[in-house]
């Protein structure tokens, strides 16, 4: 978790930052496996679902930024929140979800993992997970600052209007899903708990397959 997020903070490329965050976010999944309690496994499964949706959406945002500006270098990006406001909102929601800000799916998946760590008094991993969440938010705000908020370089010619709209629906759908899951976390937890229980007790799956 920590090495991945530090690698992300050192980068100045949209896609490289997201790529290093994959390393960091996998750490949360391993956290659930390492704790290996029923509640920790619920958190790990929940986090896998959240991460697949949110990280895919963020990479799609990076792809749209590359199409609009011709690069993913943060030093060559800028002004996307004004020229492409829909992209800005989609990225902001997905970035906040990745960092674990409520009420999005990232908050509840991390909350379950942290709660599981506190239950078994694994304070070291709990503290690291909280610090990494803060640093993840910092790196998302770094992308927001350079790519979306600050003015674009004078020699850049960003596209406006309908040129980029056809690229947004996939990322927008994933943004909606992270909101829906976050606002209905209790509903989804019922099904995630069943999946986690089968991971903790593989004989359930074996009996089902063999019809025992």
């Amino acid at each position: 978790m920590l090495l991945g997020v530090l690698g992300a903070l050192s980068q100045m490329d949209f896609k490289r930052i997201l790529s290093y965050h994959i390393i960091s976010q996998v750490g949360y999944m391993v956290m659930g496996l390492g704790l290996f309690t029923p509640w920790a496994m619920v958190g790990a499964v929940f986090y896998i679902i959240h991460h697949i949706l949110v990280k895919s959406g963020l990479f799609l945002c990076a792809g749209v930024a590359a199409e609009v500006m011709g690069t993913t270098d943060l030093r060559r990006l800028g002004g996307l929140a004004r020229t492409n406001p829909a992209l800005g909102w989609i990225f902001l929601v997905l970035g906040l979800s990745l960092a674990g800000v409520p009420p999005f799916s990232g908050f509840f998946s991390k909350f379950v993992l942290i709660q599981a760590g506190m239950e078994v008094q694994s304070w070291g991993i709990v503290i690291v997970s909280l610090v990494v969440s803060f640093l993840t938010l910092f790196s998302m705000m770094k992308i927001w600052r350079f790519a979306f908020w600050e003015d674009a370089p004078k020699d850049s010619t960003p596209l406006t209007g309908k040129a980029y709209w056809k690229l947004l629906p996939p990322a927008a759908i994933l943004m909606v899903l992270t909101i829906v899951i976050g606002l209905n976390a209790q509903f989804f937890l019922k099904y995630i708990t069943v999946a986690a229980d089968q991971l903790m007790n593989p004989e359930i799956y074996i009996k089902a397959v063999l019809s025992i």
Side-chain angles (χ1 to χ4, degrees):
M1 278 191 272
L2 190 59
L3 291 176
V5 78
L6 291 176
L9 289 171
S10 70
Q11 300 301 311
M12 285 298 293
D13 182 273
F14 203 148
K15 289 183 179 180
R16 283 180 177 270
I17 291 174
L18 297 178
S19 297
Y20 271 97
H21 271 301
I22 292 176
I23 301 170
S24 180
Q25 304 304 310
V26 167
Y28 283 95
M29 305 170 201
V30 175
M31 174 182 175
L33 292 174
L35 295 172
F36 206 68
T37 65
W39 197 230
M41 290 301 293
V42 170
V45 174
F46 199 168
Y47 203 89
I48 290 170
I49 297 169
H50 147 75
H51 185 256
I52 289 171
L53 297 175
V54 171
K55 186 53 67 67
S56 297
L58 287 169
F59 271 111
L60 288 170
C61 288
V64 176
E67 288 293 320
V68 172
M69 301 292 291
T71 181
T72 55
D73 188 337
L74 295 182
R75 291 161 293 198
R76 302 292 301 163
L77 296 173
L80 288 172
R82 291 180 289 279
T83 60
N84 303 271
L87 175 63
W89 280 109
I90 292 170
F91 170 81
L92 187 61
V93 170
L94 292 171
L96 292 176
S97 183
L98 186 73
V101 174
F104 309 117
S105 62
F107 170 77
F108 292 100
S109 58
K110 288 184 179 180
F111 178 79
V112 172
L113 286 169
I114 291 170
Q115 190 178 50
M118 293 174 66
E119 286 179 352
V120 296
Q121 298 184 343
S122 294
W123 304 113
I125 190 64
V126 169
I127 292 171
V128 169
S129 65
L130 290 171
V131 170
V132 170
S133 291
F134 174 78
L135 295 177
T136 300
L137 177 62
F138 183 83
S139 66
M140 291 299 103
M141 291 302 99
K142 175 181 176 180
I143 295 176
W144 174 260
R145 172 195 166 192
F146 283 96
F148 293 90
W149 188 254
E150 292 188 350
D151 293 332
K154 294 182 179 179
D155 58 345
S156 65
T157 55
L159 301 176
T160 57
K162 297 181 179 180
Y164 73 98
W165 280 100
K166 63 181 182 295
L167 303 173
L168 289 180
I173 292 171
L174 295 172
M175 176 196 70
V176 171
L177 287 175
T178 191
I179 296 172
V180 170
I181 293 174
L183 295 177
N184 298 276
Q186 191 66 35
F187 171 80
F188 288 99
L189 275 172
K190 291 189 298 183
Y191 299 96
I192 293 170
T193 300
V194 174
D197 183 55
Q198 293 189 11
L199 289 173
M200 294 287 291
N201 302 282
E203 63 272 8
I204 298 174
Y205 173 77
I206 295 170
K207 290 180 179 179
V209 171
L210 299 179
S211 299
I212 297 175

